[in-house]
Amino acid sequence: MTKPLKQIHLAAHFPGVNNTTVWSDPKAGSHIEFESFVHFAKTAERAKFDFLFLAEGLRLREHAGKIYDLDVVGRPDTFTVLAALAAVTEHLGLTGTINSTFNEPYEVARQFASLDHLSGGRSAWNVVTSWDAFTGENFRRGGFLPQEERYSRAQEFLATAHELFDSWRGDEIVADQATGTFLSDAKAGAFEHRGKHFDIHGRFNVPRSPQGRPVIFQAGDSDEGREFAAAEADAIFSRYGTLEAGQAFYQDVKRRLPKYGRRPDQLLILPAATFVLADTDAEAEELAREVRRQQVSGATAIRHLEFVWNRDLSGYDPDGPLPDIDPDVSEHHIARGRAQVRMYRDPLATAREWRELAEANNWSIRDLVINTGNRQSFIGSPATVAGNINEFVQSDASDGFILVPHITPGGLDDFADKVVPLLQEQGVFRTDYEGTTLRDHLGLAHPDEVVRAERAAS
C-alpha cells in the first residue's frame, strides 16, 4: 500500500541583524521599522505559509566588554509587533518567543489570550528559558535561578498559564450575548495555583480565546528540551545538518510522546533552514558561497572562534591557521548573552574537532567558520530546492521548515513566487487556507476537543 504524501508545513523567521542576515547588501532594509515586518508577513501570507516567527532579545549582547557589532540595532517588543501584524494579515499565524525565566504567568497568559482574540485565533508561543545572569541583570530576579532549575520553572510556568487559559472553559460557560452577563458558572476566570515557583490566585480577566490556548513551540536540541517538547509542546523548533541527522532527531523526539499519552501527529518537527535560489544549481552554489562570505567577515570569524576559545584572538589572521593554544575553560566568558556560549559545552573537544577539520581541508579560521557555522541550507534552482524540501518531509526528517532568509525584508519573495508553486503542483502544499486559526493550519486539535475526548474516555 502506497504511503500517502505528507503535507508540508512552511513558516518564515524574521531575523534580526546577526550572522544569518547579509545586512550590508543594498537590498537589505530596516530590521526594526514596521514596514519591514509588514512586507515580510504579507509575503508569507501570500505564499500560504502557516506562520511568521519572531525571536526575542532581552539584552544587547556583549563581546570583550563591548556591545557586539551585529547587535546594535536591538530588537522591538514581540507582542507589540505581532499585535500590529494581526491588523494587516488575515490568515498568517503569529508566533512569538517569550521567556519563561524573567516573566510572570499571569502577564504572559493575558498577552497571548489578547493576541489570540485580536488575530482571530492565530497566536503561538515559543517557550524558552534563559540560563545566564547577564540577561537577568535587566530584571528583578537577575541571576537568582540556577541553570538546572530553568526547565522546572518553564514547566510550571506553562502549566500555570494553561490553568489561566482554561479558567474560562468554553463548554462550561453560558453567557447572555445581549447583556454580556453569565447565566451559569459564576467562577468563570477563577484560578488558584500553589507550587514551587508560583503561588497565585485570583481571576483571569481575558475570556476564552478562539484557540483556547496559543499553539506551543519549544526551541532547543538538548535532551531536557526534547523531553519538555514531548510533554508540553505542539511543535519543536530545531536545527540539524543532514537528512540522516534530521531523521534521527525526528525519531528520537517522536518516540518520547507515548509516555505522555500523546500520538506522533500531536508534535510537529519544524527545523530552521536557510536557502539560496538561482536559475540553475551551479549559479545557486556560486551565490551561496558569496552569501556565506558576506555573512562571515574576517572580524566575525575571529569573534565566532572566541566564543569557543574564550580568549582574545584579535591578533590572529582570519585567513590564517587556527590557534595552537587551547580554549580557556574558566567560568569567565569573553562573550555575554550569546547562544554560542551554551552551544559549545565542551570547548576542548570542539577545538580538537575543528583543528582536525581545518587540517584535513586546509581551512583557514574564516573557512572553518563558513563551513561549520551555518544551519541546514537548501541551495539550487527552484525545482531542486522544492524537491529537497519534499524529500526531507516525506522521509520523516521533518514535518516542514521555518525558513530564515538572508535578506530582510525581501528575502522571502523569490521562494514565495518560485518554490511554493512547485510544491503546490506536487500536491504537498496548500493552494489556499482551509481554516481560520493557526491550529487549523497545523492540523492540531483545539484544547477543548482534547478535554472532551479525555472526559469521554474516562
Side-chain angles (χ1 to χ4, degrees):
M1 183 175 178
T2 303
K3 181 181 177 181
L5 290 175
K6 291 169 62 179
Q7 290 296 297
I8 295 171
H9 293 286
L10 292 176
H13 182 290
F14 185 99
V17 175
N18 53 39
N19 291 344
T20 300
T21 56
V22 182
W23 57 270
S24 58
D25 191 291
K27 296 188 294 295
S30 171
H31 289 68
I32 198 168
E33 291 179 2
F34 185 55
E35 284 308 309
S36 290
F37 291 98
V38 171
H39 180 111
F40 197 82
K42 288 191 172 182
T43 301
E45 186 165 76
R46 172 166 58 83
K48 314 303 178 186
F49 277 27
D50 292 320
F51 59 90
L52 173 145
F53 184 96
L54 287 184
E56 179 184 61
L58 295 179
R59 179 163 180 167
L60 292 177
R61 299 164 293 179
E62 294 182 10
H63 191 84
K66 298 179 180 179
I67 299 298
Y68 187 69
D69 289 2
L70 296 183
D71 217 23
V72 293
V73 70
R75 195 184 295 271
D77 176 70
T78 297
F79 279 115
T80 305
V81 174
L82 294 181
L85 289 177
V88 296
T89 56
E90 296 182 21
H91 301 282
L92 188 68
L94 303 168
T95 303
T97 301
I98 297 297
N99 194 289
S100 65
T101 304
F102 303 120
N103 288 297
E104 295 295 328
Y106 186 92
E107 179 183 28
V108 170
R110 188 167 182 268
Q111 289 169 313
F112 270 114
S114 299
L115 178 62
D116 210 52
H117 278 292
L118 290 174
S119 64
R122 296 185 279 137
S123 71
W125 174 13
N126 181 36
V127 184
V128 298
T129 65
S130 182
W131 63 277
D132 66 308
F134 171 75
T135 300
E137 290 171 358
N138 278 355
F139 296 85
R140 176 173 56 86
R141 289 186 310 277
F144 101 101
L145 188 65
Q147 183 173 346
E148 62 271 14
E149 289 189 26
R150 69 181 193 268
Y151 276 107
S152 169
R153 178 184 168 91
Q155 288 173 324
E156 188 177 340
F157 192 111
L158 184 59
T160 308
H162 282 168
E163 291 168 14
L164 295 167
F165 295 134
D166 294 346
S167 65
W168 293 77
R169 179 80 72 203
D171 57 355
E172 296 174 353
I173 300 171
V174 178
D176 184 332
Q177 297 294 329
T179 65
T181 59
F182 288 98
L183 305 181
S184 66
D185 196 346
K187 294 184 179 180
F191 66 88
E192 181 174 2
H193 178 96
R194 304 194 184 281
K196 177 180 178 181
H197 297 282
F198 307 106
D199 185 354
I200 58 175
H201 68 278
R203 286 185 182 273
F204 190 54
N205 67 346
V206 183
R208 192 76 161 163
S209 71
Q211 290 190 121
R213 306 170 183 171
V215 173
I216 300 298
F217 282 76
Q218 191 276 334
D221 292 343
S222 69
D223 188 69
E224 299 94 332
R226 297 182 192 200
E227 202 66 25
F228 179 64
E232 306 288 352
D234 297 307
I236 185 168
F237 179 43
S238 64
R239 77 179 95 208
Y240 48 74
T242 65
L243 179 69
E244 293 74 19
Q247 289 172 323
F249 180 89
Y250 191 96
Q251 292 169 9
D252 177 71
V253 174
K254 297 276 188 175
R255 71 172 174 77
R256 299 171 188 250
L257 293 167
K259 68 180 174 183
Y260 298 105
R262 306 182 69 197
R263 303 185 311 272
D265 63 349
Q266 291 180 296
L267 177 65
L268 300 174
I269 312 297
L270 302 174
T274 59
F275 61 93
V276 176
L277 293 171
D279 291 339
T280 68
D281 291 353
E283 291 172 341
E285 290 287 351
E286 179 61 31
L287 178 58
R289 284 190 289 271
E290 180 182 336
V291 167
R292 286 298 292 147
R293 293 195 72 80
Q294 288 177 305
Q295 290 170 325
V296 183
S297 66
T300 295
I302 292 296
R303 288 180 180 173
H304 191 95
L305 208 67
E306 288 177 341
F307 300 150
V308 175
W309 259 256
N310 199 28
R311 297 177 182 275
D312 179 2
L313 303 177
S314 57
Y316 284 81
D317 180 0
D319 294 316
L322 271 66
D324 54 7
I325 57 173
D326 285 332
D328 176 0
V329 294
S330 69
E331 292 298 315
H332 170 74
H333 292 292
I334 192 171
R336 308 181 74 194
R338 294 286 304 175
Q340 284 86 345
V341 174
R342 52 182 170 166
M343 282 172 55
Y344 305 117
R345 296 186 177 181
D346 189 343
L348 294 174
T350 300
R352 285 195 298 271
E353 177 187 348
W354 284 5
R355 286 192 183 111
E356 292 171 1
L357 283 171
E359 183 176 353
N361 294 281
N362 194 30
W363 284 344
S364 66
I365 292 173
R366 189 179 183 194
D367 292 332
L368 175 85
V369 174
I370 286 173
N371 286 283
T372 62
N374 60 323
R375 295 186 178 106
Q376 163 65 34
S377 291
F378 294 108
I379 300 170
S381 67
T384 296
V385 169
N388 289 340
I389 287 176
N390 194 33
E391 180 185 11
F392 268 75
V393 173
Q394 305 308 330
S395 300
D396 288 340
S398 78
D399 293 308
F401 290 94
I402 299 176
L403 299 174
V404 188
H406 61 272
I407 296 291
T408 303
L412 201 61
D413 296 1
D414 280 350
F415 191 98
D417 294 333
K418 299 177 181 179
V419 178
V420 167
L422 298 179
L423 295 173
Q424 291 170 332
E425 288 175 10
Q426 295 175 43
V428 294
F429 190 69
R430 69 172 64 89
T431 56
D432 204 354
Y433 293 103
E434 297 181 359
T436 59
T437 71
L438 179 54
R439 289 186 178 276
D440 293 332
H441 305 343
L442 297 174
L444 299 170
H446 191 286
D448 288 347
E449 296 174 15
V450 176
V451 170
R452 283 193 285 269
E454 291 173 348
R455 287 175 180 172
S458 63

